Amino acid sequence: MSASTSTEDGIPCPPTEELRPEEFLRALYQFHGHALLQFAARRLQGDWHRAEDVLQEVAIRALRHAGKLDPTSDSARPWLFTVLRNLVIDDLRARQARPAETGDPELVHRPVSDDVDHMLTSQVLFEALWDLRPQQREVLLHVHYLGRSVNQAARVLGVPPGTVKSRTFYASRDLREALYRRGLYADGRYRDAG
């Protein structure tokens, strides 16, 4: 889809039909969101949260110019990247001008747990358990969840203690790999998307 360039503001002209705001934003994110987010994150030294905030501001500004901008066109990218770059520079300047925050240094790096994070981690764990064979799930249930010893689990399952140990070892290894594939580290933190 080709778009001509408007003389004012250097904003590429839109296609002939007008898009509703939600359609405009959906198209903008679909065609340009990933590239803009990657660029912002690099410019912000890997701070994905600030990069997402800046990307949202770019989207708002693009929406203000929806009558002059085609979100599905590659010709919109120079304008979008220029706005993004200017917002990143403004953000960095504002942070440099602000005095350093003070407080208890021990509290700065303390993770705060919340119910949502726990619920999501539980959901990922539940899904990862279904990657295991039934015997592996069963032995993990008895040994880790029910807190049975190897000998107790062996009696309940009707297998030798060595089999319980072996299944526990391989089940733990396979579960760790299934969680890692889903982006969850052993300490319960998620990997950064990037």
Side-chain angles (χ1 to χ4, degrees):
M1 192 181 291
S2 67
S4 61
T5 303
S6 167
T7 55
E8 72 180 78
D9 297 330
I11 301 172
C13 291
T16 54
E17 72 274 356
E18 288 291 321
L19 297 173
R20 293 191 323 247
E22 60 272 6
E23 292 171 337
F24 179 88
L25 290 173
R26 189 176 300 115
L28 181 77
Y29 276 95
Q30 179 183 358
F31 285 91
H32 309 289
H34 182 73
L36 291 167
L37 184 61
Q38 293 287 336
F39 181 77
R42 278 195 309 272
R43 297 296 295 244
L44 293 167
Q45 288 82 37
D47 188 338
W48 288 93
H49 296 289
R50 281 183 27 217
E52 289 171 349
D53 291 342
V54 171
L55 178 58
Q56 288 177 359
E57 182 61 31
V58 169
I60 290 169
R61 291 188 183 193
L63 187 58
R64 289 182 191 148
H65 295 284
K68 302 176 186 175
L69 188 68
D70 178 3
T72 64
S73 171
D74 284 339
S75 64
R77 280 206 177 185
W79 185 84
L80 293 168
F81 274 97
T82 300
V83 170
L84 179 80
R85 182 182 157 278
N86 291 340
L87 288 170
V88 168
I89 290 170
D90 291 347
D91 181 71
L92 292 172
R93 285 180 182 159
R95 289 182 185 278
Q96 289 172 351
R98 187 179 318 145
E101 295 178 7
T102 60
D104 188 354
E106 291 198 16
L107 294 178
V108 172
H109 298 293
R110 294 234 169 149
V112 177
S113 173
D114 63 0
D115 291 337
V116 173
D117 187 43
H118 179 72
M119 181 189 69
L120 291 174
T121 302
S122 297
Q123 180 65 32
V124 170
L125 178 61
F126 181 75
E127 291 173 0
L129 279 169
W130 285 102
D131 284 0
L132 303 179
R133 293 189 317 249
Q135 294 137 340
Q136 290 178 321
R137 281 195 304 273
E138 186 177 42
V139 77
L140 288 180
L141 170 75
H142 287 282
V143 173
H144 291 290
Y145 184 71
L146 297 175
R148 292 189 170 135
S149 69
V150 171
N151 288 333
Q152 291 170 332
R155 274 194 305 276
V156 171
L157 296 173
V159 295
T163 302
V164 171
K165 289 179 185 178
S166 175
R167 286 182 187 170
T168 303
F169 172 79
Y170 289 111
S172 297
R173 183 195 65 188
D174 292 348
L175 181 61
R176 210 173 14 258
E177 290 172 7
L179 291 170
Y180 187 79
R181 282 193 307 271
R182 286 172 170 78
L184 192 65
Y185 281 127
D187 62 1
R189 292 180 301 128
Y190 285 96
R191 290 182 295 193
D192 288 335

